[in-house]
Each structure stands twice: as structure tokens, then as C-alpha cells.
Amino acid sequence: MGVIILSSYSAIVLVAFKSFNLLFPWAAPIILGLLCYFVITVYKFFSSEKEKKVIRGIFQQYVSPTVVNALLSEPNKLNLGGEKLILTVFFSDIRSFTTYSEAHTPEEVLSILNEYLEAMTQCIFKWNGTLDKYVGDEIMAFWGAPVPSEQHAIHACQAALNCRKGIQEINRSWELKGKKPFWSRIGIHTGVTLVGNLGSQSRMNYTVVGDSVNLASRL
């Protein structure tokens, strides 16, 4: 737009001089226009980078790089204030984990738990899920936000199947090492859910709340 305005002004100055022998200042307005265009461009660039930095800082730990890039390309679609959407919520935990942890040292429990959480999280990210939080051995995730998807329920189920396969692979490797295997449980529910930033000014969490979340947790 700035180039069009400057080109139009130059054309007007030229026509006025040739047709009507009128002399209008040219160099100063052009230089001033170019300077303003440069300043506005730099301002927009840094504003855009600041916005992208905020989005990346919020979501890079919750979603896959694919989802982060989608958010950065269309940040106007992101509503952090909260909205009601039809989402699919996913809960998973380890069966009889308290008993399991009592039979192992704290170091062993943390090592096993970290390996398990890593495998499960990678399955969730593979199907573009949003990791909500870890609560001990429990994992909470959801699909359909922050990037909308019509396939959110299917992707959640695919992730659950991948998680199940991943746990089987972990158990086989642990059995070979003489470690006791365990099994996890997964609950999935699709429904109207409130999603957005929740917390205090010092710490925010992009999360979901509502009856659908409670039902998924009970499942």
C-alpha cells in the first residue's frame, strides 16, 4: 500500500509539472514516506515476533511442533480468554500405581514414571493432542483446541491405541530387564467443554473444565 501511495504521488507531481507547469515538492515527501513505511514495517515485524513468542511460550510444552506452527501462522484464530467448544478429553493413569510405587525405591519409581510419561506424551503429540497436565501417574489431554479439528474424537482414539501399543512395548522391554510391568487405563469423552487460560497472573494454564472433563476423568 505504501509503495502504491508513493508511486501515485510521484505520478501526480510529474503530470502537474508537464501539463500545468506546476512544481510540487517531491524528494522530501518521498523520503518522509519511505521513512514512515520503514518504521511501520519494523514495528509490525517486532509486534508480530512478540506475539509469536508469547504463543510459543504458552504452547510449546503442551502441543506438538506441528500445532505450534499452525498457531504461529494464524494467531487470530486463537482465543485465550475462554470459549465453549465441542472437544474430546482424554485421561489416563496407571492401574494400582500406589501399590506399584510402594514396592520400588523412589529413584526407580521416577525413572519408570518418566519413561512411561514420555512414551504416552509422544503418542498424544503424534495425533496433535494438547497435553493439559500430569498429576502423578495421571495424564490429561484434549483434542479440538487450540487448533480446531473436525477429527478430534478420531485422533484421540488413535492416540489411545498408540498409547496402548507403546505400553506393551515398554512392558516387553522391562520384562527382559527383570522389571515388573504395569498397565494403564484410558477414559475418553466428547462433549461441550470450556477451554481457555486458567490460573493467576503469575502462572497460567491453558486447560479445559466442565462436565465433559469430569465424565472423561470418571471413565
Side-chain angles (χ1 to χ4, degrees):
M1 179 61 71
V3 174
I4 294 175
I5 293 174
L6 294 177
S7 298
S8 299
Y9 178 75
S10 299
I12 291 172
V13 170
L14 183 60
V15 170
F17 179 72
K18 285 188 174 182
S19 302
F20 304 102
N21 202 29
L22 296 175
L23 185 60
F24 292 103
W26 178 83
I30 292 295
I31 293 175
L32 182 60
L34 289 173
L35 182 61
C36 291
Y37 177 76
F38 174 75
V39 171
I40 292 172
T41 301
V42 171
Y43 173 78
K44 286 184 176 180
F45 172 79
F46 282 106
S47 297
S48 175
E49 287 301 308
K50 183 179 179 180
E51 184 180 35
K52 289 181 178 180
K53 184 177 180 180
V54 171
I55 293 174
R56 188 180 289 111
I58 292 174
F59 289 103
Q60 64 183 355
Q61 297 183 30
Y62 300 140
V63 298
S64 67
T66 302
V67 176
V68 172
N69 291 334
L71 289 172
L72 295 179
S73 64
E74 295 183 279
N76 58 304
K77 290 187 177 181
L78 180 61
N79 183 5
L80 295 177
E83 55 186 334
K84 280 188 176 182
L85 299 172
I86 297 178
L87 306 178
T88 298
V89 184
F90 168 111
F91 277 89
S92 174
D93 68 359
I94 298 173
R95 186 174 63 192
S96 303
F97 182 71
T98 300
T99 303
Y100 187 95
S101 61
E102 289 173 350
H104 296 78
T105 65
E107 292 78 11
E108 289 175 326
V109 172
L110 285 178
S111 176
I112 289 170
L113 195 56
N114 282 331
E115 186 176 351
Y116 162 76
L117 293 175
E118 175 66 24
M120 297 284 281
T121 302
Q122 290 306 315
C123 292
I124 292 170
F125 282 177
K126 178 181 177 181
W127 291 98
N128 293 331
T130 299
L131 176 67
D132 192 305
K133 62 176 68 72
Y134 303 125
V135 183
D137 62 306
E138 180 185 87
I139 301 173
M140 178 180 172
F142 56 91
W143 278 257
V147 175
S149 170
E150 295 182 356
Q151 303 293 315
H152 55 83
I154 294 175
H155 289 168
C157 292
Q158 292 284 7
L161 293 173
N162 276 176
C163 287
R164 179 176 158 188
K165 182 179 179 181
I167 293 167
Q168 291 173 345
E169 293 175 354
I170 290 175
N171 282 336
R172 282 195 291 268
S173 68
W174 284 352
E175 287 177 336
L176 293 175
K177 298 175 184 178
K179 296 180 180 180
K180 184 179 178 181
F182 59 68
W183 300 100
S184 71
R185 306 169 295 188
I186 296 174
I188 299 173
H189 177 65
T190 299
V192 177
T193 309
L194 180 63
V195 58
N197 267 339
L198 181 67
S200 64
Q201 291 194 6
S202 60
R203 182 173 177 83
M204 301 293 290
N205 184 32
Y206 187 73
T207 188
V208 290
V209 293
D211 292 339
S212 293
V213 179
N214 298 334
L215 179 53
S217 177
R218 287 194 293 271
L219 290 173

